[in-house]
Amino acid sequence: MTSHSLKEKYLLYKVRYQHDAGAYGLLYDAYVDKIFRFVLYKVSSVEDAEDITAEVFLKSWQFIRTTNKRVSNLNALLYRIARNAVIDYYRQKKRQDLPLTDEDQYRDIVDSRDVERDIDLKLEVKNIERALDRIKDDYREVIILRYVEDMSINEIASIINKSKSNVRVLLHRAIKRIQEILSE
Amino acid sequence: MEKIFKQLEDLKNVKPREDWVRANREVLLAQISSQGPVRESSFFGILNFIRMLVPAGFVNFLAKPFGVVTVAVLFVLGSGAFTVNASKSSIPGDILYSVKLTSEKVQVGLTVSENKKTALHVDFAEERINEIEQIAASTIDVTEKREKISIAADNFKDSLNSVQESFDKVKTTKAEKDVINRSIEVVKQVDQKVEAIALRLTNNESLKSDAAVVKSIDSAKAEIAETQVKAVEVIVDKYDKGEIELTSEELVETVEAKIKQVGDKITAVAERERTEVTSTDVETSTVITDSPESVNETVESSDSSSSETVVVAPADSESAQRLLDEASSLLNQGDLINALEKLKESSELARQYEEVIQQKIEELQSAVPTTDPVSDTSSEVTVEPETLPEDISVEPKAQSEL
């Protein structure tokens, strides 16, 4: 389901005006993987990522149902809510920065994922993940949104509430940082 | 550098645990379902949906007078969602009718729940009946009416076919008990709705004037009957498999009601046979004989034994009724499955019987106005074809024609 497809609009309509849980279930199916992934790379703990993702979908439901504004981009809405949820999560945990690379936590993430790949690839991916873990949250965010979730600059700008040029600069710097880490 | 992008892309394969996704979905849906009943969509609901499809500025545009004119022009030219709205009141033959049918198909396509799809098919079937009533009540000429009603009736039958297919799906689906129960509720509701439609068709006098129209309507009613039998079949089947909660009394009641329905139908057709086929049969046999004396005799003899001049068709009321009685007794013995089988056979036979009678009536109606056999026997006789069918028992008049 693309974000501007008729089907999505129709499901949103059903959610908003008919409080149709079934329709919302379908939207959940379309977005749950993405939102989980996004949150996971921010919090590095599968359990927390699951909890936060669950909260994101509940909050989105409330928002769609009660807002006066038209929800024209569900994709952006979900990511925005996810971002805010992670921020709240950190406030609760009283953390200012990203958690330090924790080998045990890291292993949890890799082992508990439903990924079918051969060993070589796994190693490579581990590398990139380690690198991602080490960069700033701002950098990591734009990299994930751009290169994992295939979002446009426009969409990213709307999600993180920054200008387009800002996003481009962040992306450039983020990739540079990753390169530096990988060549260490 | 490229490697980095490739590795990042591979991260797309990172997914949450399947069982968590499923469990969370159930929890989520339970939480949101408990927050309040589903609101039925209303006219404003549809309006809101269309507003959602349309860019925000457009709605303001519409408020201005020239906006209204532009939209009216768009109606004529036909574009997008507005045409769909305009097509809602069209009937077969109208330019926008195909848009209407297409938008209905789109609606079904966008619906996910099978139960809701079934409900939509029934709604659209009902709409076909609305169209038929509208056409019948209009002042267009008979040939056009026949054509349009036939189109609407065909589409009606298609919709009911889709409903029957969804019943088959219910039959073969294995699911949670409450899911099946909900599907069975839908089946029951459909049964009631199509029953109401059958009644509308039966009671509409304007549909009885033309033979071809009657044929279209009868085939539509036959489809309804088939749908209803299928509905009972699904219910019995699910009950038999232990998949639904239905007291045996409710089930017996359901099947009994169907038996009564079929019985009523057989009676109705037999009545038609008696009044329209028998009497005209007698008159036909009267006018075909050569000598005046035998005309007399025929009139007298057929008068006393009118029931013997009825041609017994293979599909007749007795056979159909016999099967129905068998169904009834099987039901009383508690053999639901076989009772249902007999019911189906009886219903099928009743349908064939109705077709045969209908055909006979048509033949007689077309035969009577054109033949003038009495004038062969006597040159001075003037027969008024239109009054022949009514004259059957009036011997003095027959005698005076000699």
Side-chain angles (χ1 to χ4, degrees):
Chain A
M1 206 185 309
T2 62
S3 54
H4 304 291
S5 71
L6 185 63
K7 178 153 193 182
E8 183 171 293
K9 281 195 157 55
Y10 183 65
L11 291 172
L12 276 172
Y13 156 76
K14 293 202 91 149
V15 165
R16 180 157 175 186
Y17 294 101
Q18 295 174 13
H19 303 184
D20 188 341
Y24 194 63
L26 292 170
L27 291 169
Y28 169 87
D29 293 335
Y31 283 101
V32 65
D33 288 359
K34 291 203 279 184
I35 300 296
F36 171 80
R37 200 160 44 223
F38 178 70
V39 173
L40 181 65
Y41 282 114
K42 282 179 169 285
V43 301
S44 302
S45 144
V46 172
E47 259 186 76
D48 289 340
E50 288 176 351
D51 289 345
I52 294 174
T53 306
E55 206 184 302
V56 168
F57 279 97
L58 197 57
K59 283 188 173 163
S60 301
W61 162 266
Q62 302 286 33
F63 184 81
I64 298 170
R65 258 187 17 139
T66 54
T67 183
N68 283 326
K69 295 194 193 150
R70 211 166 47 134
V71 176
S72 52
N73 191 343
L74 180 64
N75 194 47
L77 175 73
L78 284 170
Y79 277 104
R80 255 184 264 131
I81 294 180
R83 269 182 107 235
N84 291 334
V86 170
I87 294 172
D88 290 342
Y89 161 86
Y90 278 127
R91 278 205 199 111
Q92 278 182 4
K93 299 235 171 183
K94 292 202 167 105
R95 283 187 220 176
Q96 294 296 325
D97 235 344
L98 303 160
L100 297 169
T101 319
D102 184 303
E103 283 303 318
D104 289 329
Q105 261 191 351
Y106 194 76
R107 224 173 291 129
D108 278 341
I109 300 171
V110 172
D111 291 345
S112 64
R113 273 193 297 249
D114 274 352
V115 172
E116 285 158 24
R117 288 179 284 193
D118 38 317
I119 318 264
D120 294 333
L121 218 53
K122 238 183 182 156
L123 285 172
E124 279 185 7
V125 167
K126 272 198 176 172
N127 279 335
I128 192 90
E129 281 172 338
R130 278 185 222 260
L132 279 173
D133 222 33
R134 287 174 57 183
I135 61 176
K136 286 189 349 172
D137 188 46
D138 284 355
Y139 288 173
R140 182 171 50 241
E141 197 171 44
V142 292
I143 291 215
I144 298 282
L145 288 174
R146 180 91 179 117
Y147 298 113
V148 182
E149 307 300 348
D150 291 334
M151 290 204 201
S152 67
I153 305 288
N154 248 337
E155 284 188 290
I156 296 174
S158 122
I159 290 172
I160 65 175
N161 210 14
K162 293 202 162 93
S163 71
K164 283 196 279 190
S165 50
N166 220 323
V167 171
R168 284 196 204 98
V169 167
L170 277 170
L171 274 170
H172 176 77
R173 292 187 184 153
I175 293 289
K176 250 184 107 189
R177 186 75 191 105
I178 297 259
Q179 277 176 319
E180 282 167 17
I181 294 176
L182 284 179
S183 57
E184 280 170 7
Chain B
M1 182 71 163
E2 284 306 316
K3 232 180 156 193
I4 294 178
F5 293 132
K6 175 73 179 60
Q7 287 176 30
L8 285 168
E9 225 189 283
D10 283 342
L11 292 183
K12 276 188 201 151
N13 296 325
V14 171
K15 289 198 201 309
R17 299 177 294 142
E18 261 184 54
D19 34 356
W20 172 81
V21 171
R22 241 178 287 133
N24 185 46
R25 192 187 203 276
E26 277 183 43
V27 169
L28 177 68
L29 258 51
Q31 282 172 316
I32 63 183
S33 298
S34 68
Q35 282 179 9
V38 172
R39 275 192 260 147
E40 288 305 317
S41 79
S42 61
F43 169 71
F44 291 106
I46 307 298
L47 201 64
N48 279 322
F49 176 46
I50 293 176
R51 280 168 91 196
M52 276 179 84
L53 293 176
V54 161
F58 202 95
V59 180
N60 294 327
F61 168 67
L62 277 186
K64 306 195 167 65
F66 65 83
V68 174
V69 172
T70 315
V71 170
V73 170
L74 283 176
F75 275 156
V76 172
L77 298 179
S79 66
F82 294 101
T83 319
V84 167
N85 252 346
S87 74
K88 287 270 181 283
S89 56
S90 59
I91 58 172
D94 293 349
I95 301 168
L96 288 179
Y97 190 62
S98 55
V99 174
K100 183 177 187 180
L101 293 180
T102 309
S103 72
E104 285 176 3
K105 290 197 185 104
V106 167
Q107 250 188 287
V108 173
L110 287 176
T111 310
V112 183
S113 142
E114 277 302 321
N115 286 340
K116 297 209 174 102
K117 276 195 200 195
T118 311
L120 276 178
H121 282 303
V122 177
D123 286 343
F124 296 149
E126 226 170 348
E127 180 58 24
R128 299 292 89 77
I129 303 302
N130 293 337
E131 288 161 15
I132 290 177
E133 288 176 345
Q134 208 183 318
I135 299 167
S138 70
T139 52
I140 54 176
D141 84 2
V142 179
T143 336
E144 259 198 82
K145 267 194 200 183
R146 264 186 224 155
E147 180 72 37
K148 292 181 199 264
I149 288 183
S150 162
I151 293 174
D154 284 341
N155 286 325
F156 172 78
K157 287 188 279 184
D158 286 342
S159 290
L160 286 196
N161 263 323
S162 302
V163 171
Q164 287 168 29
E165 273 171 29
S166 69
F167 284 175
D168 281 331
K169 271 196 203 137
V170 174
K171 232 179 153 182
T172 56
T173 310
K174 280 209 147 301
E176 305 285 322
K177 239 190 178 148
D178 55 339
V179 173
I180 300 276
N181 272 323
R182 246 176 284 142
S183 301
I184 294 295
E185 275 311 307
V186 171
V187 170
K188 285 187 194 166
Q189 283 167 17
V190 169
D191 182 53
Q192 286 172 356
K193 277 199 170 166
V194 301
E195 176 65 25
I197 292 175
L199 213 61
R200 272 168 78 178
L201 290 173
T202 313
N203 293 338
N204 191 328
E205 289 304 319
S206 63
L207 292 171
K208 300 186 184 168
S209 50
D210 179 72
V213 170
V214 170
K215 202 170 181 192
S216 293
I217 300 298
D218 280 348
S219 69
K221 289 207 266 184
E223 199 66 46
I224 292 180
E226 226 183 285
T227 310
Q228 292 186 289
V229 168
K230 204 157 213 144
V232 180
E233 216 185 290
V234 174
I235 296 176
V236 170
D237 182 79
K238 285 297 179 193
Y239 173 77
D240 211 47
K241 288 181 183 155
E243 290 179 32
I244 52 166
E245 292 149 15
L246 198 67
T247 65
S248 49
E249 287 87 28
E250 280 174 320
L251 197 63
V252 168
E253 254 175 55
T254 313
V255 180
E256 256 176 1
K258 283 297 158 286
I259 291 179
K260 178 165 187 310
Q261 247 174 36
V262 177
D264 288 344
K265 182 191 178 135
I266 296 174
T267 314
V269 178
E271 183 61 28
R272 274 182 86 190
E273 184 180 18
R274 201 180 63 77
T275 54
E276 290 178 52
V277 176
T278 313
S279 48
T280 0
D281 243 357
V282 171
E283 190 51 38
T284 317
S285 60
T286 309
V287 299
I288 283 175
T289 49
D290 285 325
S291 61
E293 290 84 25
S294 49
V295 170
N296 243 343
E297 281 166 19
T298 323
V299 170
E300 284 173 8
S301 59
S302 53
D303 200 37
S304 54
S305 57
S306 50
S307 57
E308 287 167 16
T309 57
V310 175
V311 176
V312 176
D316 64 5
S317 63
E318 284 88 19
S319 315
Q321 188 61 47
R322 208 180 317 127
L323 282 167
L324 205 62
D325 294 335
E326 283 174 32
S328 211
S329 82
L330 283 165
L331 187 66
N332 290 333
Q333 291 165 30
D335 187 353
L336 277 165
I337 301 298
N338 284 322
L340 198 62
E341 275 309 306
K342 290 290 171 193
L343 176 63
K344 275 168 77 175
E345 282 175 43
S346 168
S347 177
E348 179 58 25
L349 206 59
R351 194 185 61 77
Q352 287 175 16
Y353 171 49
E354 187 174 26
E355 264 177 29
V356 166
I357 299 301
Q358 178 58 28
Q359 216 171 348
K360 281 186 146 258
I361 293 174
E362 272 173 40
E363 284 170 16
L364 293 169
Q365 278 180 355
S366 54
V368 167
T370 51
T371 56
D372 202 3
V374 179
S375 58
D376 288 333
T377 58
S378 160
S379 52
E380 295 187 61
V381 172
T382 48
V383 177
E384 294 166 355
E386 301 90 341
T387 59
L388 270 172
E390 296 161 24
D391 269 4
I392 73 118
S393 54
V394 184
E395 291 112 55
K397 195 163 180 199
Q399 282 179 353
S400 67
E401 283 172 2
L402 302 171

